[in-house]
Amino acid sequence: MLAKRIIPCLDVKDGRVVKGVHFKNLRDAGDPVELARMYDEQGADEIVYLDISASPDGRKTMVEIVEKTADQVFIPLTVGGGISTVEDIRRILKSGADKIGINTAAVKNPKIISEGAKKFGSQCIVSAIDAKRVYSESEDKITIDTPEGKCWFEVYVYGGRKETGIDAIWWAKEVERLGAGEILLTSMDADGTKVGFDIPLNKTISEETNIPIIASGGAGNLDHIVEALTDGKADAALAASIFHYKEYTVLDIKKYLKKKGVEVRI
Amino acid sequence: MKPEIAIIDYGVGNLRSVYRGLEAGGAKPIVTDDMKVVKRSDGIVLPGVGAFGDAMKRLEGFRDVIIESAGQKPIFGICLGMQLYFTRSEEDGVHVGLDIMKGNVVSLPKSVKIPQMGWNSIEIKKESIFMQGINSGDYFYFVHSFYAKPEEDITVATSDYGIEFPAIVEKDLLFATQFHPEKSGKVGLKMLENFVKISNDNSK
C-alpha cells in the first residue's frame, strides 16, 4: 500500500537554514545539506527547501546547495521559492531537484504550470497554494461549512502578504487541469499557530481533485498530523518548526502514525 | 577495475542522483549520448521521466544499440525506462516501444489518485540475484501514472495501487524497476549496487 509521507521543510536564506515565525525574527538553524541528511537518517520521505533569499546571489547559492544535497541524500527533493520562469525550473531540476514548487508565478501566469508540465513532466510540478479563510458567503465562491462558520478560501501570494480574490478550491482544480502533479496546500490561518491543520480545507481540496495533496501549516503535536492524514485526507504532511525545535523526530511521528493505523514507511 | 556503466542521456533531465547512486555502488558511471561509449560499457542504465511517445522519439538513435545489447550485457530500465522495454504504450495515443519485453503499458485505474506519488511496499514473487538484500515489505519511491502489463513470466516483485502491478521485472540480463532506486534511500542504493555487481560479473 502507498504510505503517507512525512516531509520536513527547510527555509533557506542565502545558503543557511533559518527559522522564525512568518519569516520574521529569523535565526540561523544550520547547514541545509547537513539537516537534510539528518532528516533522511530519521526516515523523512522527502525534503522540501523553500528559498527565501531575496538576492540573485542567494538564488545562485541555492543551486549549489541542491547539487550538494542530491550528491548525498537519496530521497526526493523539492525546491520552491522564487521560481518564475520555465528556465528557472530547468536550472533547479538540472542541479538535482526532483520537483519544483511554484506559487506566485503560477497565479500571475498559469501557463508556467502547463509549459513546465509539458517540458519536464507533471510529476515535477508542485503547485504551492497559500489559502486563508474568508467568513462571508459569496455567489461566485465555493463556500464550506466549518465548525467555525461558513467560509470560502482565498489564495494569497508573495509569501502570504497579498490576497488575490481567487477561490483556492477553484484554483486547486485549475492547477490540476493545467498539469500540476501535486498540491502543497498551506493554511495561512493555521501556519505558525501549532493548533492543528485546517482539516476542512485539506479534506475539500483532496476530494475535489485527483492529485496528491501535501498538508502544511499548523502542526503542533502528533495527533494533528494523524488528523491531517486521516480526516483531512491528505497524502502527506509537511512541517518545519516541529522538527527544527527538536520536539519530535521524523521517526517519533512515524511510530505514532503506525500505532494509529496510518500506513507509513519505517 | 570498476565496471563502466553508461547512463543513456537522451535529454530526460536529472541524472545526477542515479550517477551518484551507481558510484556509491562501486561503478564508474558515465552519463553519455555517445553510441561508442554505450557499446563498450559493461552495463547500461536507461533512465526516464516524462511521456512515453516523446521519450521513444528521443531514444530513436539508441534503439538498435539497446536491442543489440539486450542479452549481452545488463541493462537497467528505471521508471519510464522500464515501460520503454515493452511492446507498446497507451499513454496519450498508442506508441510502439522497444519490444524487448512483451506486453502493454496501460493507465493506473481511475479509482486512485494519479500519479501514484510516494513510497510503496513491494512483494517479491521470484528469487533473483538482482534482489540480494531486498525483502518483501521494503518501501521504494514511485512516481508514475502508467504501468506495464507483461505477457511473459518476468515479474520479480509486485506492488499495489488500486491494482497489483509489476514493480520489478527481469528477463535474462534485462532488469527494470517501476520505482526510482536512486530516490529510494538505502534499499534503492542496494539495488543499484546489485546491478553494478551483475555488470561486473558479466564483463569477466
Side-chain angles (χ1 to χ4, degrees):
Chain A
M1 224 170 98
L2 184 66
K4 300 284 187 179
R5 289 170 280 156
I6 298 298
I7 308 175
C9 176
L10 304 175
D11 291 341
V12 181
K13 188 168 193 286
D14 303 321
R16 298 289 293 178
V17 175
V18 291
K19 54 187 178 188
V21 176
H22 295 299
F23 304 138
K24 285 177 195 142
N25 303 319
L26 298 180
R27 285 195 286 135
D28 188 275
D31 174 56
V33 184
E34 271 172 35
L35 283 168
R37 281 180 61 169
M38 185 186 79
Y39 290 134
D40 176 21
E41 282 295 315
Q42 290 180 3
D45 295 307
E46 296 184 24
I47 301 286
V48 170
Y49 285 157
L50 182 61
D51 187 6
I52 59 168
S53 313
S55 65
D57 275 358
R59 301 248 181 270
K60 227 163 83 190
T61 310
M62 195 65 206
V63 167
E64 287 161 22
I65 290 167
V66 172
E67 286 175 350
K68 273 192 205 152
T69 308
D71 288 348
Q72 299 177 38
V73 179
F74 293 92
I75 57 173
L77 174 65
T78 302
V79 177
I83 291 165
S84 54
T85 64
V86 169
E87 188 44 42
D88 290 341
I89 300 176
R90 184 197 307 279
R91 201 183 61 242
I92 293 290
L93 292 178
K94 201 163 178 284
S95 56
D98 301 285
K99 315 182 208 178
I100 54 92
I102 323 178
N103 185 349
T104 308
V107 172
K108 289 196 332 203
N109 172 27
K111 262 201 206 146
I112 189 170
I113 293 181
S114 44
E115 280 171 20
K118 196 159 172 261
K119 276 217 164 71
F120 312 108
S122 283
Q123 83 291 335
C124 66
I125 308 293
V126 181
S127 168
I129 300 178
D130 291 348
K132 193 172 193 301
R133 292 183 177 194
V134 181
Y135 291 99
S136 70
E137 285 188 60
S138 171
E139 264 185 22
D140 60 342
K141 302 290 192 274
I142 302 165
T143 308
I144 302 297
D145 260 324
T146 75
E148 292 76 32
K150 282 191 171 162
C151 69
W152 62 282
F153 296 93
E154 183 172 13
V155 173
Y156 274 64
V157 291
Y158 293 107
R161 289 190 299 274
K162 194 172 181 296
E163 73 271 24
T164 62
I166 296 169
D167 185 328
I169 297 167
W170 173 83
W171 179 235
K173 291 198 264 195
E174 182 64 7
V175 298
E176 177 183 15
R177 192 187 64 80
L178 289 166
E182 193 166 41
I183 292 172
L184 168 53
L185 183 58
T186 302
S187 160
M188 301 275 308
D189 303 287
D191 201 23
T193 63
K194 301 195 157 211
V195 297
F197 293 85
D198 188 329
I199 300 301
L201 170 68
N202 278 286
K203 182 169 182 279
T204 307
I205 291 191
S206 192
E207 286 172 348
E208 292 287 331
T209 59
N210 197 39
I211 52 178
I213 306 297
I214 305 169
S216 156
N221 63 40
L222 300 176
D223 282 314
H224 292 154
I225 296 176
V226 175
E227 268 169 33
L229 299 173
T230 53
D231 300 344
K233 298 196 170 179
D235 301 277
L238 177 136
S241 57
I242 200 170
F243 298 122
H244 289 345
Y245 295 101
K246 300 200 166 61
E247 290 161 46
Y248 303 100
T249 66
V250 177
L251 186 62
D252 293 335
I253 293 174
K254 287 191 159 182
K255 280 185 175 161
Y256 190 76
L257 286 167
K258 196 173 178 186
K259 211 171 77 184
K260 292 283 173 179
V262 179
E263 175 100 3
V264 285
R265 173 184 71 112
I266 292 189
Chain B
M1 281 272 284
K2 290 179 177 178
E4 255 184 34
I5 308 288
I7 304 167
I8 299 185
D9 180 9
Y10 58 106
V12 288
N14 177 22
L15 303 176
R16 196 177 183 98
S17 302
V18 71
Y19 180 94
R20 292 296 182 201
L22 288 165
E23 201 176 47
K28 183 187 170 202
I30 307 170
V31 174
T32 185
D33 59 0
D34 183 344
M35 212 73 71
K36 279 180 293 201
V37 175
V38 178
K39 275 188 181 164
R40 69 148 202 257
S41 67
D42 301 311
I44 299 170
V45 167
L46 182 60
V49 289
F52 191 100
D54 183 49
M56 273 312 291
K57 247 182 241 160
R58 292 199 232 188
L59 199 60
E60 194 51 49
F62 295 98
R63 194 193 172 95
D64 292 346
V65 67
I66 293 170
I67 291 170
E68 263 173 51
S69 303
Q72 289 175 26
K73 63 173 113 176
I75 308 180
F76 190 166
I78 295 175
C79 193
L80 179 66
M82 162 169 165
Q83 298 179 3
L84 296 173
Y85 281 178
F86 285 85
T87 313
R88 68 183 78 78
S89 167
E90 294 173 7
E91 181 176 357
D92 203 10
V94 176
H95 299 276
V96 174
L98 293 167
D99 197 27
I100 46 183
M101 285 183 173
K102 301 294 170 198
N104 292 330
V105 176
V106 300
S107 176
L108 284 167
K110 295 283 173 268
S111 57
V112 289
K113 288 190 179 189
I114 293 178
Q116 165 168 233
M117 189 173 304
W119 299 77
N120 204 334
S121 54
I122 60 158
E123 193 177 321
I124 299 175
K125 301 286 182 184
K126 236 192 232 181
E127 277 188 34
S128 159
I129 42 166
F130 194 35
M131 301 297 287
Q132 269 178 29
I134 308 296
N135 300 300
S136 281
D138 284 347
Y139 283 89
F140 293 88
Y141 191 79
F142 290 82
V143 184
H144 63 123
S145 305
F146 290 76
Y147 70 98
K149 270 174 98 167
E151 285 161 10
E152 305 174 86
D153 181 22
I154 53 177
T155 302
V156 172
T158 60
S159 197
D160 258 299
Y161 189 64
I163 193 165
E164 185 182 72
F165 66 92
I168 305 172
V169 292
E170 175 185 342
K171 176 184 169 184
D172 305 321
L173 288 169
L174 289 173
F175 304 90
T177 60
Q178 181 57 66
F179 53 78
H180 285 272
E182 77 281 17
K183 288 291 160 190
S184 297
K186 286 194 182 84
V187 285
L189 291 176
K190 179 68 187 150
M191 291 209 75
L192 289 170
E193 187 191 322
N194 289 347
F195 179 73
V196 174
K197 271 196 194 133
I198 293 167
S199 302
N200 194 39
D201 293 346
N202 185 67
S203 69
K204 279 174 187 164

